[in-house]
Amino acid sequence: MRNISLVLCLLFLLCFSCSKEEQVDVNCVNEMLERLEMEPNRGQEIGGAFFVDLYVYNNKQYFLLGSHYADMASFPIDCEGNSLCGVGNLDACNDFYTNAVYLGITGISR
């Protein structure tokens, strides 16, 4: 009986320790979509259109341009348009790709 209580307690702690929701300091989704000339993703067909993925990393929003048909390199940019993966930022860039939380496709080209 004691082992069952211990296991249940550990499962309870594990479930609630992993449910941390990412908070952002500044929400700039609308401004970024305007800057990139994109419309919000409302579940429409993406097809060959360019799209932007939204991530949260270190309490900041980052955007990553993508396309299902174009073979391209893209680096995450923040709300001010600064690239995280610039010269000398290899560690920060690698940490982003390891620890950023993916929130989904937020915009699609018009």
Side-chain angles (χ1 to χ4, degrees), residues 9-56:
C9 182
L10 289 174
L11 285 173
F12 178 78
L13 290 174
L14 179 64
C15 290
F16 284 100
S17 67
C18 295
S19 65
K20 180 184 169 196
E21 189 173 313
E22 290 291 323
Q23 299 293 322
V24 295
D25 295 331
V26 175
N27 184 344
C28 65
V29 171
N30 293 333
E31 293 84 2
M32 185 59 72
L33 293 180
E34 229 176 271
R35 186 182 309 165
L36 296 172
E37 298 180 1
M38 294 191 171
E39 60 186 49
N41 179 17
R42 294 184 182 94
Q44 64 269 45
E45 182 69 31
I46 296 173
F50 286 99
F51 57 87
V52 66
D53 291 318
L54 175 61
Y55 290 85
V56 174

Side-chain angles (χ1 to χ4, degrees), residues 3 8 14 18 20 27 38 44 49 51-52 55 58 62 65 69 71 78 80 85-86 95-96 100-101 109:
N3 289 338
L8 289 175
L14 179 64
C18 295
K20 180 184 169 196
N27 184 344
M38 294 191 171
Q44 64 269 45
F51 57 87
V52 66
Y55 290 85
N58 288 341
Y62 284 89
L65 188 62
Y69 296 135
D71 187 21
D78 64 11
E80 291 80 35
C85 297
D95 192 56
F96 172 86
V101 176
S109 62

